[in-house]
Structures are given as C-alpha cells and as structure tokens.
Amino acid sequence: MVIREYTHNDELAWLRCRVLSFLDCSYYNDVLTQKESYKNDAVCLVAEEDGKIIGFMDVEIESKAGDICVAGSQPGAVIWNLGVLPEFRRKHVAASLWEEASRRLLAKGIHYCEVWTQEDEAANRWYQSLGFHNVKEKNWLRCYARPSRADWFLNRANVGEIFGVEEMVFEAASARREEVSEYCYRIDQVRLYAKEL
C-alpha cells in the first residue's frame, strides 16, 4: 500500500471509493459528483494498492483560528473526508492516512485538528483510539422530516403556495431530539471530535 498526495487524475477513482466507503454508514446519502476543493491549504491523500484507490483523507488547514475550526484557540485543521473501501478495513489504511496527514500538518506548524462525524460507533471508537475527544457542547442533530409532518416546521405564510415537501433536512440542538423525533424518520447526532497533535 502506498499513501500519496491526491492528484486531479484520481478524481473518478476517489469519487467511487467515497461512495463505496460511505454505503454502510450514516453518510450513505452524501454523494458527490466531483471532488470538493478547499479555499484554504489542504492535505489531500489517497491510499493506493496495485493501482487502485482504496482509501482517502482530506484535511483543510485554516489560515487563522476560527476560520473553519469551531472549538480551537489556535490555527488548526478539519478532516472533511475519510473513507476506506470495506474490503480493506482493519488493515491499517485509515491509520496510515492519518499518520501521514498528521506528519504533514505538524510540518506546516499545525498542532490542532477537528473532525465531524455522526453516530457510527466504529468511526467514533476509531477517532477516540487516536486520542480525539468529543466536544459535546458542539454536537448537534441533523434531522430528516417525514414528508407528511414537514408542515409542522414550515411557516406557510413565508413559503407561499407549494404542493408538498418531499425532502426536508434541518439542523437542531441535541437537546431537541425528543421534541422533534415524532416528526422525523431519521435523526443523526453530528459529533465534533478534537485533538492536540
């Protein structure tokens, strides 16, 4: 396995790897048709084996504290994308990507990193095993309203005449989980993890 910098020629393989990596987690509906680009400096890595992209990690570096990190007091970085093909999990791929990314962050003078994840226990345990800690006061809910109950959230006077709501996704404070649960078919707690490097 080789850990190397992402190149533009990797885009299609990166997109395919991302879709397959996310299928069995709560990010399964987060499908991209092109790789994200970042306004700040970024460390974008891929793991490759026999010419095949088997994993990826994108980490954006903020130019000043608070640009993209929400809990740090010094300039830091955020892991935006991390995935490994299911058949290559438990083979140190994600850890190898993180080791190389953190080495590069330190070389750039970055000593703080954040990552947002959801309730996937394997991902939460993995970040914790690396020393990331949950910043609970920054957690929030991503809520998917039942189409039949979406009117509860809408102010029809503001929306005007519509024929219905097919998909409504909104964010709410974690403390509102019980209140909104009867109106939602899916609720994911989005968790912030942070680590000093």
mmCIF file with all atom_site columns, all heavy atoms in Angstrom, residues 109-135:
data_model
loop_
_atom_site.group_PDB
_atom_site.id
_atom_site.type_symbol
_atom_site.label_atom_id
_atom_site.label_alt_id
_atom_site.label_comp_id
_atom_site.label_asym_id
_atom_site.label_entity_id
_atom_site.label_seq_id
_atom_site.pdbx_PDB_ins_code
_atom_site.Cartn_x
_atom_site.Cartn_y
_atom_site.Cartn_z
_atom_site.occupancy
_atom_site.B_iso_or_equiv
_atom_site.pdbx_formal_charge
_atom_site.auth_seq_id
_atom_site.auth_comp_id
_atom_site.auth_asym_id
_atom_site.auth_atom_id
_atom_site.pdbx_PDB_model_num
ATOM 1   N N   . GLY A 1 109 ? 3.224   23.424 10.872 1.00 0.00 ? 109 GLY A N   1
ATOM 2   C CA  . GLY A 1 109 ? 3.034   24.158 12.119 1.00 0.00 ? 109 GLY A CA  1
ATOM 3   C C   . GLY A 1 109 ? 1.634   24.040 12.709 1.00 0.00 ? 109 GLY A C   1
ATOM 4   O O   . GLY A 1 109 ? 1.254   24.832 13.569 1.00 0.00 ? 109 GLY A O   1
ATOM 5   N N   . ILE A 1 110 ? 0.875   23.077 12.265 1.00 0.00 ? 110 ILE A N   1
ATOM 6   C CA  . ILE A 1 110 ? -0.495  22.878 12.762 1.00 0.00 ? 110 ILE A CA  1
ATOM 7   C C   . ILE A 1 110 ? -0.462  21.816 13.861 1.00 0.00 ? 110 ILE A C   1
ATOM 8   O O   . ILE A 1 110 ? 0.003   20.698 13.646 1.00 0.00 ? 110 ILE A O   1
ATOM 9   C CB  . ILE A 1 110 ? -1.445  22.458 11.623 1.00 0.00 ? 110 ILE A CB  1
ATOM 10  C CG1 . ILE A 1 110 ? -1.476  23.525 10.531 1.00 0.00 ? 110 ILE A CG1 1
ATOM 11  C CG2 . ILE A 1 110 ? -2.840  22.149 12.147 1.00 0.00 ? 110 ILE A CG2 1
ATOM 12  C CD1 . ILE A 1 110 ? -1.950  24.891 10.987 1.00 0.00 ? 110 ILE A CD1 1
ATOM 13  N N   . HIS A 1 111 ? -0.989  22.183 15.044 1.00 0.00 ? 111 HIS A N   1
ATOM 14  C CA  . HIS A 1 111 ? -0.948  21.286 16.203 1.00 0.00 ? 111 HIS A CA  1
ATOM 15  C C   . HIS A 1 111 ? -2.336  20.980 16.755 1.00 0.00 ? 111 HIS A C   1
ATOM 16  O O   . HIS A 1 111 ? -2.469  20.500 17.886 1.00 0.00 ? 111 HIS A O   1
ATOM 17  C CB  . HIS A 1 111 ? -0.083  21.908 17.312 1.00 0.00 ? 111 HIS A CB  1
ATOM 18  C CG  . HIS A 1 111 ? 1.343   22.074 16.898 1.00 0.00 ? 111 HIS A CG  1
ATOM 19  N ND1 . HIS A 1 111 ? 2.277   21.077 17.007 1.00 0.00 ? 111 HIS A ND1 1
ATOM 20  C CD2 . HIS A 1 111 ? 1.987   23.131 16.325 1.00 0.00 ? 111 HIS A CD2 1
ATOM 21  C CE1 . HIS A 1 111 ? 3.436   21.494 16.552 1.00 0.00 ? 111 HIS A CE1 1
ATOM 22  N NE2 . HIS A 1 111 ? 3.288   22.749 16.125 1.00 0.00 ? 111 HIS A NE2 1
ATOM 23  N N   . TYR A 1 112 ? -3.367  21.266 15.985 1.00 0.00 ? 112 TYR A N   1
ATOM 24  C CA  . TYR A 1 112 ? -4.742  21.046 16.447 1.00 0.00 ? 112 TYR A CA  1
ATOM 25  C C   . TYR A 1 112 ? -5.590  20.594 15.266 1.00 0.00 ? 112 TYR A C   1
ATOM 26  O O   . TYR A 1 112 ? -5.456  21.113 14.148 1.00 0.00 ? 112 TYR A O   1
ATOM 27  C CB  . TYR A 1 112 ? -5.303  22.355 17.025 1.00 0.00 ? 112 TYR A CB  1
ATOM 28  C CG  . TYR A 1 112 ? -6.756  22.269 17.428 1.00 0.00 ? 112 TYR A CG  1
ATOM 29  C CD1 . TYR A 1 112 ? -7.136  21.634 18.610 1.00 0.00 ? 112 TYR A CD1 1
ATOM 30  C CD2 . TYR A 1 112 ? -7.757  22.813 16.626 1.00 0.00 ? 112 TYR A CD2 1
ATOM 31  C CE1 . TYR A 1 112 ? -8.475  21.554 18.978 1.00 0.00 ? 112 TYR A CE1 1
ATOM 32  C CE2 . TYR A 1 112 ? -9.095  22.740 16.993 1.00 0.00 ? 112 TYR A CE2 1
ATOM 33  C CZ  . TYR A 1 112 ? -9.443  22.105 18.173 1.00 0.00 ? 112 TYR A CZ  1
ATOM 34  O OH  . TYR A 1 112 ? -10.764 22.017 18.546 1.00 0.00 ? 112 TYR A OH  1
ATOM 35  N N   . CYS A 1 113 ? -6.470  19.610 15.496 1.00 0.00 ? 113 CYS A N   1
ATOM 36  C CA  . CYS A 1 113 ? -7.308  19.087 14.415 1.00 0.00 ? 113 CYS A CA  1
ATOM 37  C C   . CYS A 1 113 ? -8.696  18.748 14.943 1.00 0.00 ? 113 CYS A C   1
ATOM 38  O O   . CYS A 1 113 ? -8.846  18.259 16.071 1.00 0.00 ? 113 CYS A O   1
ATOM 39  C CB  . CYS A 1 113 ? -6.660  17.838 13.807 1.00 0.00 ? 113 CYS A CB  1
ATOM 40  S SG  . CYS A 1 113 ? -7.468  17.251 12.298 1.00 0.00 ? 113 CYS A SG  1
ATOM 41  N N   . GLU A 1 114 ? -9.705  19.003 14.117 1.00 0.00 ? 114 GLU A N   1
ATOM 42  C CA  . GLU A 1 114 ? -11.091 18.648 14.422 1.00 0.00 ? 114 GLU A CA  1
ATOM 43  C C   . GLU A 1 114 ? -11.648 17.749 13.326 1.00 0.00 ? 114 GLU A C   1
ATOM 44  O O   . GLU A 1 114 ? -11.146 17.751 12.195 1.00 0.00 ? 114 GLU A O   1
ATOM 45  C CB  . GLU A 1 114 ? -11.976 19.903 14.505 1.00 0.00 ? 114 GLU A CB  1
ATOM 46  C CG  . GLU A 1 114 ? -11.633 20.827 15.632 1.00 0.00 ? 114 GLU A CG  1
ATOM 47  C CD  . GLU A 1 114 ? -12.508 22.075 15.685 1.00 0.00 ? 114 GLU A CD  1
ATOM 48  O OE1 . GLU A 1 114 ? -13.292 22.341 14.740 1.00 0.00 ? 114 GLU A OE1 1
ATOM 49  O OE2 . GLU A 1 114 ? -12.388 22.794 16.685 1.00 0.00 ? 114 GLU A OE2 1
ATOM 50  N N   . VAL A 1 115 ? -12.679 17.017 13.671 1.00 0.00 ? 115 VAL A N   1
ATOM 51  C CA  . VAL A 1 115 ? -13.404 16.204 12.696 1.00 0.00 ? 115 VAL A CA  1
ATOM 52  C C   . VAL A 1 115 ? -14.853 16.102 13.149 1.00 0.00 ? 115 VAL A C   1
ATOM 53  O O   . VAL A 1 115 ? -15.134 16.020 14.344 1.00 0.00 ? 115 VAL A O   1
ATOM 54  C CB  . VAL A 1 115 ? -12.771 14.799 12.517 1.00 0.00 ? 115 VAL A CB  1
ATOM 55  C CG1 . VAL A 1 115 ? -12.830 13.985 13.798 1.00 0.00 ? 115 VAL A CG1 1
ATOM 56  C CG2 . VAL A 1 115 ? -13.424 14.043 11.365 1.00 0.00 ? 115 VAL A CG2 1
ATOM 57  N N   . TRP A 1 116 ? -15.756 16.161 12.191 1.00 0.00 ? 116 TRP A N   1
ATOM 58  C CA  . TRP A 1 116 ? -17.178 15.960 12.451 1.00 0.00 ? 116 TRP A CA  1
ATOM 59  C C   . TRP A 1 116 ? -17.545 14.555 12.005 1.00 0.00 ? 116 TRP A C   1
ATOM 60  O O   . TRP A 1 116 ? -17.163 14.130 10.917 1.00 0.00 ? 116 TRP A O   1
ATOM 61  C CB  . TRP A 1 116 ? -18.026 16.960 11.665 1.00 0.00 ? 116 TRP A CB  1
ATOM 62  C CG  . TRP A 1 116 ? -17.853 18.380 12.102 1.00 0.00 ? 116 TRP A CG  1
ATOM 63  C CD1 . TRP A 1 116 ? -17.000 19.309 11.559 1.00 0.00 ? 116 TRP A CD1 1
ATOM 64  C CD2 . TRP A 1 116 ? -18.525 19.033 13.176 1.00 0.00 ? 116 TRP A CD2 1
ATOM 65  N NE1 . TRP A 1 116 ? -17.120 20.497 12.243 1.00 0.00 ? 116 TRP A NE1 1
ATOM 66  C CE2 . TRP A 1 116 ? -18.055 20.356 13.242 1.00 0.00 ? 116 TRP A CE2 1
ATOM 67  C CE3 . TRP A 1 116 ? -19.495 18.619 14.099 1.00 0.00 ? 116 TRP A CE3 1
ATOM 68  C CZ2 . TRP A 1 116 ? -18.507 21.279 14.169 1.00 0.00 ? 116 TRP A CZ2 1
ATOM 69  C CZ3 . TRP A 1 116 ? -19.948 19.535 15.030 1.00 0.00 ? 116 TRP A CZ3 1
ATOM 70  C CH2 . TRP A 1 116 ? -19.460 20.846 15.062 1.00 0.00 ? 116 TRP A CH2 1
ATOM 71  N N   . THR A 1 117 ? -18.248 13.834 12.833 1.00 0.00 ? 117 THR A N   1
ATOM 72  C CA  . THR A 1 117 ? -18.746 12.525 12.436 1.00 0.00 ? 117 THR A CA  1
ATOM 73  C C   . THR A 1 117 ? -20.137 12.370 13.014 1.00 0.00 ? 117 THR A C   1
ATOM 74  O O   . THR A 1 117 ? -20.649 13.268 13.684 1.00 0.00 ? 117 THR A O   1
ATOM 75  C CB  . THR A 1 117 ? -17.787 11.396 12.873 1.00 0.00 ? 117 THR A CB  1
ATOM 76  O OG1 . THR A 1 117 ? -18.162 10.176 12.233 1.00 0.00 ? 117 THR A OG1 1
ATOM 77  C CG2 . THR A 1 117 ? -17.737 11.223 14.367 1.00 0.00 ? 117 THR A CG2 1
ATOM 78  N N   . GLN A 1 118 ? -20.768 11.268 12.735 1.00 0.00 ? 118 GLN A N   1
ATOM 79  C CA  . GLN A 1 118 ? -22.125 11.048 13.232 1.00 0.00 ? 118 GLN A CA  1
ATOM 80  C C   . GLN A 1 118 ? -22.111 9.885  14.216 1.00 0.00 ? 118 GLN A C   1
ATOM 81  O O   . GLN A 1 118 ? -21.119 9.673  14.900 1.00 0.00 ? 118 GLN A O   1
ATOM 82  C CB  . GLN A 1 118 ? -23.098 10.876 12.061 1.00 0.00 ? 118 GLN A CB  1
ATOM 83  C CG  . GLN A 1 118 ? -23.235 12.173 11.283 1.00 0.00 ? 118 GLN A CG  1
ATOM 84  C CD  . GLN A 1 118 ? -24.203 12.143 10.117 1.00 0.00 ? 118 GLN A CD  1
ATOM 85  O OE1 . GLN A 1 118 ? -24.542 13.193 9.619  1.00 0.00 ? 118 GLN A OE1 1
ATOM 86  N NE2 . GLN A 1 118 ? -24.632 10.997 9.647  1.00 0.00 ? 118 GLN A NE2 1
ATOM 87  N N   . GLU A 1 119 ? -23.189 9.159  14.306 1.00 0.00 ? 119 GLU A N   1
ATOM 88  C CA  . GLU A 1 119 ? -23.339 8.154  15.353 1.00 0.00 ? 119 GLU A CA  1
ATOM 89  C C   . GLU A 1 119 ? -22.773 6.781  14.989 1.00 0.00 ? 119 GLU A C   1
ATOM 90  O O   . GLU A 1 119 ? -23.027 5.820  15.700 1.00 0.00 ? 119 GLU A O   1
ATOM 91  C CB  . GLU A 1 119 ? -24.815 8.034  15.739 1.00 0.00 ? 119 GLU A CB  1
ATOM 92  C CG  . GLU A 1 119 ? -25.343 9.325  16.346 1.00 0.00 ? 119 GLU A CG  1
ATOM 93  C CD  . GLU A 1 119 ? -26.807 9.271  16.676 1.00 0.00 ? 119 GLU A CD  1
ATOM 94  O OE1 . GLU A 1 119 ? -27.170 8.594  17.644 1.00 0.00 ? 119 GLU A OE1 1
ATOM 95  O OE2 . GLU A 1 119 ? -27.587 9.911  15.952 1.00 0.00 ? 119 GLU A OE2 1
ATOM 96  N N   . ASP A 1 120 ? -22.040 6.676  13.915 1.00 0.00 ? 120 ASP A N   1
ATOM 97  C CA  . ASP A 1 120 ? -21.433 5.399  13.542 1.00 0.00 ? 120 ASP A CA  1
ATOM 98  C C   . ASP A 1 120 ? -20.418 5.012  14.609 1.00 0.00 ? 120 ASP A C   1
ATOM 99  O O   . ASP A 1 120 ? -19.373 5.654  14.747 1.00 0.00 ? 120 ASP A O   1
ATOM 100 C CB  . ASP A 1 120 ? -20.760 5.520  12.170 1.00 0.00 ? 120 ASP A CB  1
ATOM 101 C CG  . ASP A 1 120 ? -21.745 5.973  11.103 1.00 0.00 ? 120 ASP A CG  1
ATOM 102 O OD1 . ASP A 1 120 ? -22.676 5.217  10.825 1.00 0.00 ? 120 ASP A OD1 1
ATOM 103 O OD2 . ASP A 1 120 ? -21.570 7.088  10.583 1.00 0.00 ? 120 ASP A OD2 1
ATOM 104 N N   . GLU A 1 121 ? -20.724 3.987  15.355 1.00 0.00 ? 121 GLU A N   1
ATOM 105 C CA  . GLU A 1 121 ? -19.891 3.635  16.511 1.00 0.00 ? 121 GLU A CA  1
ATOM 106 C C   . GLU A 1 121 ? -18.460 3.279  16.123 1.00 0.00 ? 121 GLU A C   1
ATOM 107 O O   . GLU A 1 121 ? -17.521 3.617  16.835 1.00 0.00 ? 121 GLU A O   1
ATOM 108 C CB  . GLU A 1 121 ? -20.540 2.522  17.330 1.00 0.00 ? 121 GLU A CB  1
ATOM 109 C CG  . GLU A 1 121 ? -21.771 2.998  18.092 1.00 0.00 ? 121 GLU A CG  1
ATOM 110 C CD  . GLU A 1 121 ? -21.535 4.270  18.911 1.00 0.00 ? 121 GLU A CD  1
ATOM 111 O OE1 . GLU A 1 121 ? -20.505 4.368  19.624 1.00 0.00 ? 121 GLU A OE1 1
ATOM 112 O OE2 . GLU A 1 121 ? -22.370 5.185  18.831 1.00 0.00 ? 121 GLU A OE2 1
ATOM 113 N N   . ALA A 1 122 ? -18.276 2.580  15.002 1.00 0.00 ? 122 ALA A N   1
ATOM 114 C CA  . ALA A 1 122 ? -16.913 2.225  14.584 1.00 0.00 ? 122 ALA A CA  1
ATOM 115 C C   . ALA A 1 122 ? -16.071 3.475  14.352 1.00 0.00 ? 122 ALA A C   1
ATOM 116 O O   . ALA A 1 122 ? -14.915 3.546  14.774 1.00 0.00 ? 122 ALA A O   1
ATOM 117 C CB  . ALA A 1 122 ? -16.946 1.351  13.331 1.00 0.00 ? 122 ALA A CB  1
ATOM 118 N N   . ALA A 1 123 ? -16.637 4.476  13.693 1.00 0.00 ? 123 ALA A N   1
ATOM 119 C CA  . ALA A 1 123 ? -15.910 5.726  13.441 1.00 0.00 ? 123 ALA A CA  1
ATOM 120 C C   . ALA A 1 123 ? -15.621 6.449  14.745 1.00 0.00 ? 123 ALA A C   1
ATOM 121 O O   . ALA A 1 123 ? -14.500 6.936  14.967 1.00 0.00 ? 123 ALA A O   1
ATOM 122 C CB  . ALA A 1 123 ? -16.709 6.625  12.499 1.00 0.00 ? 123 ALA A CB  1
ATOM 123 N N   . ASN A 1 124 ? -16.606 6.505  15.631 1.00 0.00 ? 124 ASN A N   1
ATOM 124 C CA  . ASN A 1 124 ? -16.406 7.170  16.921 1.00 0.00 ? 124 ASN A CA  1
ATOM 125 C C   . ASN A 1 124 ? -15.300 6.488  17.727 1.00 0.00 ? 124 ASN A C   1
ATOM 126 O O   . ASN A 1 124 ? -14.428 7.151  18.283 1.00 0.00 ? 124 ASN A O   1
ATOM 127 C CB  . ASN A 1 124 ? -17.718 7.196  17.713 1.00 0.00 ? 124 ASN A CB  1
ATOM 128 C CG  . ASN A 1 124 ? -18.666 8.257  17.207 1.00 0.00 ? 124 ASN A CG  1
ATOM 129 O OD1 . ASN A 1 124 ? -18.694 9.365  17.717 1.00 0.00 ? 124 ASN A OD1 1
ATOM 130 N ND2 . ASN A 1 124 ? -19.436 7.939  16.183 1.00 0.00 ? 124 ASN A ND2 1
ATOM 131 N N   . ARG A 1 125 ? -15.332 5.164  17.774 1.00 0.00 ? 125 ARG A N   1
ATOM 132 C CA  . ARG A 1 125 ? -14.286 4.423  18.504 1.00 0.00 ? 125 ARG A CA  1
ATOM 133 C C   . ARG A 1 125 ? -12.908 4.649  17.874 1.00 0.00 ? 125 ARG A C   1
ATOM 134 O O   . ARG A 1 125 ? -11.911 4.781  18.574 1.00 0.00 ? 125 ARG A O   1
ATOM 135 C CB  . ARG A 1 125 ? -14.599 2.924  18.535 1.00 0.00 ? 125 ARG A CB  1
ATOM 136 C CG  . ARG A 1 125 ? -15.642 2.541  19.555 1.00 0.00 ? 125 ARG A CG  1
ATOM 137 C CD  . ARG A 1 125 ? -15.722 1.033  19.755 1.00 0.00 ? 125 ARG A CD  1
ATOM 138 N NE  . ARG A 1 125 ? -15.844 0.287  18.513 1.00 0.00 ? 125 ARG A NE  1
ATOM 139 C CZ  . ARG A 1 125 ? -16.996 -0.014 17.922 1.00 0.00 ? 125 ARG A CZ  1
ATOM 140 N NH1 . ARG A 1 125 ? -18.133 0.355  18.469 1.00 0.00 ? 125 ARG A NH1 1
ATOM 141 N NH2 . ARG A 1 125 ? -17.015 -0.705 16.799 1.00 0.00 ? 125 ARG A NH2 1
ATOM 142 N N   . TRP A 1 126 ? -12.856 4.709  16.546 1.00 0.00 ? 126 TRP A N   1
ATOM 143 C CA  . TRP A 1 126 ? -11.574 4.886  15.869 1.00 0.00 ? 126 TRP A CA  1
ATOM 144 C C   . TRP A 1 126 ? -10.977 6.244  16.212 1.00 0.00 ? 126 TRP A C   1
ATOM 145 O O   . TRP A 1 126 ? -9.801  6.336  16.566 1.00 0.00 ? 126 TRP A O   1
ATOM 146 C CB  . TRP A 1 126 ? -11.752 4.731  14.352 1.00 0.00 ? 126 TRP A CB  1
ATOM 147 C CG  . TRP A 1 126 ? -10.445 4.738  13.631 1.00 0.00 ? 126 TRP A CG  1
ATOM 148 C CD1 . TRP A 1 126 ? -9.548  3.708  13.535 1.00 0.00 ? 126 TRP A CD1 1
ATOM 149 C CD2 . TRP A 1 126 ? -9.850  5.840  12.927 1.00 0.00 ? 126 TRP A CD2 1
ATOM 150 N NE1 . TRP A 1 126 ? -8.447  4.109  12.804 1.00 0.00 ? 126 TRP A NE1 1
ATOM 151 C CE2 . TRP A 1 126 ? -8.611  5.402  12.425 1.00 0.00 ? 126 TRP A CE2 1
ATOM 152 C CE3 . TRP A 1 126 ? -10.260 7.137  12.676 1.00 0.00 ? 126 TRP A CE3 1
ATOM 153 C CZ2 . TRP A 1 126 ? -7.775  6.226  11.677 1.00 0.00 ? 126 TRP A CZ2 1
ATOM 154 C CZ3 . TRP A 1 126 ? -9.433  7.957  11.927 1.00 0.00 ? 126 TRP A CZ3 1
ATOM 155 C CH2 . TRP A 1 126 ? -8.204  7.495  11.443 1.00 0.00 ? 126 TRP A CH2 1
ATOM 156 N N   . TYR A 1 127 ? -11.775 7.303  16.127 1.00 0.00 ? 127 TYR A N   1
ATOM 157 C CA  . TYR A 1 127 ? -11.252 8.628  16.477 1.00 0.00 ? 127 TYR A CA  1
ATOM 158 C C   . TYR A 1 127 ? -10.815 8.671  17.941 1.00 0.00 ? 127 TYR A C   1
ATOM 159 O O   . TYR A 1 127 ? -9.773  9.234  18.269 1.00 0.00 ? 127 TYR A O   1
ATOM 160 C CB  . TYR A 1 127 ? -12.282 9.724  16.177 1.00 0.00 ? 127 TYR A CB  1
ATOM 161 C CG  . TYR A 1 127 ? -12.410 10.007 14.698 1.00 0.00 ? 127 TYR A CG  1
ATOM 162 C CD1 . TYR A 1 127 ? -13.597 9.761  14.024 1.00 0.00 ? 127 TYR A CD1 1
ATOM 163 C CD2 . TYR A 1 127 ? -11.327 10.505 13.969 1.00 0.00 ? 127 TYR A CD2 1
ATOM 164 C CE1 . TYR A 1 127 ? -13.710 10.004 12.658 1.00 0.00 ? 127 TYR A CE1 1
ATOM 165 C CE2 . TYR A 1 127 ? -11.429 10.752 12.612 1.00 0.00 ? 127 TYR A CE2 1
ATOM 166 C CZ  . TYR A 1 127 ? -12.625 10.492 11.964 1.00 0.00 ? 127 TYR A CZ  1
ATOM 167 O OH  . TYR A 1 127 ? -12.716 10.737 10.616 1.00 0.00 ? 127 TYR A OH  1
ATOM 168 N N   . GLN A 1 128 ? -11.587 8.090  18.816 1.00 0.00 ? 128 GLN A N   1
ATOM 169 C CA  . GLN A 1 128 ? -11.223 8.049  20.238 1.00 0.00 ? 128 GLN A CA  1
ATOM 170 C C   . GLN A 1 128 ? -9.914  7.292  20.441 1.00 0.00 ? 128 GLN A C   1
ATOM 171 O O   . GLN A 1 128 ? -9.080  7.694  21.259 1.00 0.00 ? 128 GLN A O   1
ATOM 172 C CB  . GLN A 1 128 ? -12.350 7.431  21.058 1.00 0.00 ? 128 GLN A CB  1
ATOM 173 C CG  . GLN A 1 128 ? -13.569 8.315  21.127 1.00 0.00 ? 128 GLN A CG  1
ATOM 174 C CD  . GLN A 1 128 ? -14.799 7.592  21.645 1.00 0.00 ? 128 GLN A CD  1
ATOM 175 O OE1 . GLN A 1 128 ? -14.788 6.389  21.892 1.00 0.00 ? 128 GLN A OE1 1
ATOM 176 N NE2 . GLN A 1 128 ? -15.891 8.330  21.805 1.00 0.00 ? 128 GLN A NE2 1
ATOM 177 N N   . SER A 1 129 ? -9.716  6.216  19.683 1.00 0.00 ? 129 SER A N   1
ATOM 178 C CA  . SER A 1 129 ? -8.476  5.435  19.828 1.00 0.00 ? 129 SER A CA  1
ATOM 179 C C   . SER A 1 129 ? -7.246  6.235  19.420 1.00 0.00 ? 129 SER A C   1
ATOM 180 O O   . SER A 1 129 ? -6.135  5.944  19.865 1.00 0.00 ? 129 SER A O   1
ATOM 181 C CB  . SER A 1 129 ? -8.553  4.139  19.010 1.00 0.00 ? 129 SER A CB  1
ATOM 182 O OG  . SER A 1 129 ? -8.374  4.389  17.619 1.00 0.00 ? 129 SER A OG  1
ATOM 183 N N   . LEU A 1 130 ? -7.443  7.253  18.585 1.00 0.00 ? 130 LEU A N   1
ATOM 184 C CA  . LEU A 1 130 ? -6.333  8.118  18.158 1.00 0.00 ? 130 LEU A CA  1
ATOM 185 C C   . LEU A 1 130 ? -6.109  9.283  19.120 1.00 0.00 ? 130 LEU A C   1
ATOM 186 O O   . LEU A 1 130 ? -5.213  10.085 18.917 1.00 0.00 ? 130 LEU A O   1
ATOM 187 C CB  . LEU A 1 130 ? -6.600  8.676  16.762 1.00 0.00 ? 130 LEU A CB  1
ATOM 188 C CG  . LEU A 1 130 ? -6.619  7.672  15.617 1.00 0.00 ? 130 LEU A CG  1
ATOM 189 C CD1 . LEU A 1 130 ? -6.999  8.374  14.325 1.00 0.00 ? 130 LEU A CD1 1
ATOM 190 C CD2 . LEU A 1 130 ? -5.286  6.974  15.467 1.00 0.00 ? 130 LEU A CD2 1
ATOM 191 N N   . GLY A 1 131 ? -6.964  9.395  20.140 1.00 0.00 ? 131 GLY A N   1
ATOM 192 C CA  . GLY A 1 131 ? -6.821  10.473 21.103 1.00 0.00 ? 131 GLY A CA  1
ATOM 193 C C   . GLY A 1 131 ? -7.726  11.658 20.862 1.00 0.00 ? 131 GLY A C   1
ATOM 194 O O   . GLY A 1 131 ? -7.624  12.669 21.564 1.00 0.00 ? 131 GLY A O   1
ATOM 195 N N   . PHE A 1 132 ? -8.608  11.570 19.869 1.00 0.00 ? 132 PHE A N   1
ATOM 196 C CA  . PHE A 1 132 ? -9.600  12.630 19.677 1.00 0.00 ? 132 PHE A CA  1
ATOM 197 C C   . PHE A 1 132 ? -10.614 12.541 20.815 1.00 0.00 ? 132 PHE A C   1
ATOM 198 O O   . PHE A 1 132 ? -10.962 11.446 21.260 1.00 0.00 ? 132 PHE A O   1
ATOM 199 C CB  . PHE A 1 132 ? -10.329 12.463 18.339 1.00 0.00 ? 132 PHE A CB  1
ATOM 200 C CG  . PHE A 1 132 ? -9.553  12.919 17.141 1.00 0.00 ? 132 PHE A CG  1
ATOM 201 C CD1 . PHE A 1 132 ? -8.625  12.084 16.537 1.00 0.00 ? 132 PHE A CD1 1
ATOM 202 C CD2 . PHE A 1 132 ? -9.759  14.180 16.594 1.00 0.00 ? 132 PHE A CD2 1
ATOM 203 C CE1 . PHE A 1 132 ? -7.917  12.490 15.415 1.00 0.00 ? 132 PHE A CE1 1
ATOM 204 C CE2 . PHE A 1 132 ? -9.059  14.598 15.482 1.00 0.00 ? 132 PHE A CE2 1
ATOM 205 C CZ  . PHE A 1 132 ? -8.132  13.755 14.888 1.00 0.00 ? 132 PHE A CZ  1
ATOM 206 N N   . HIS A 1 133 ? -11.094 13.681 21.287 1.00 0.00 ? 133 HIS A N   1
ATOM 207 C CA  . HIS A 1 133 ? -12.126 13.694 22.322 1.00 0.00 ? 133 HIS A CA  1
ATOM 208 C C   . HIS A 1 133 ? -13.355 14.440 21.807 1.00 0.00 ? 133 HIS A C   1
ATOM 209 O O   . HIS A 1 133 ? -13.241 15.375 21.008 1.00 0.00 ? 133 HIS A O   1
ATOM 210 C CB  . HIS A 1 133 ? -11.614 14.341 23.621 1.00 0.00 ? 133 HIS A CB  1
ATOM 211 C CG  . HIS A 1 133 ? -11.326 15.803 23.490 1.00 0.00 ? 133 HIS A CG  1
ATOM 212 N ND1 . HIS A 1 133 ? -10.164 16.289 22.935 1.00 0.00 ? 133 HIS A ND1 1
ATOM 213 C CD2 . HIS A 1 133 ? -12.072 16.894 23.794 1.00 0.00 ? 133 HIS A CD2 1
ATOM 214 C CE1 . HIS A 1 133 ? -10.194 17.613 22.918 1.00 0.00 ? 133 HIS A CE1 1
ATOM 215 N NE2 . HIS A 1 133 ? -11.343 18.014 23.433 1.00 0.00 ? 133 HIS A NE2 1
ATOM 216 N N   . ASN A 1 134 ? -14.516 13.989 22.238 1.00 0.00 ? 134 ASN A N   1
ATOM 217 C CA  . ASN A 1 134 ? -15.771 14.593 21.810 1.00 0.00 ? 134 ASN A CA  1
ATOM 218 C C   . ASN A 1 134 ? -15.992 15.924 22.539 1.00 0.00 ? 134 ASN A C   1
ATOM 219 O O   . ASN A 1 134 ? -15.932 15.981 23.762 1.00 0.00 ? 134 ASN A O   1
ATOM 220 C CB  . ASN A 1 134 ? -16.924 13.628 22.099 1.00 0.00 ? 134 ASN A CB  1
ATOM 221 C CG  . ASN A 1 134 ? -18.273 14.132 21.615 1.00 0.00 ? 134 ASN A CG  1
ATOM 222 O OD1 . ASN A 1 134 ? -19.286 13.882 22.242 1.00 0.00 ? 134 ASN A OD1 1
ATOM 223 N ND2 . ASN A 1 134 ? -18.312 14.831 20.495 1.00 0.00 ? 134 ASN A ND2 1
ATOM 224 N N   . VAL A 1 135 ? -16.215 16.972 21.764 1.00 0.00 ? 135 VAL A N   1
ATOM 225 C CA  . VAL A 1 135 ? -16.528 18.295 22.315 1.00 0.00 ? 135 VAL A CA  1
ATOM 226 C C   . VAL A 1 135 ? -18.063 18.369 22.350 1.00 0.00 ? 135 VAL A C   1
ATOM 227 O O   . VAL A 1 135 ? -18.700 18.893 21.445 1.00 0.00 ? 135 VAL A O   1
ATOM 228 C CB  . VAL A 1 135 ? -15.914 19.419 21.461 1.00 0.00 ? 135 VAL A CB  1
ATOM 229 C CG1 . VAL A 1 135 ? -16.144 20.781 22.108 1.00 0.00 ? 135 VAL A CG1 1
ATOM 230 C CG2 . VAL A 1 135 ? -14.426 19.177 21.221 1.00 0.00 ? 135 VAL A CG2 1
#
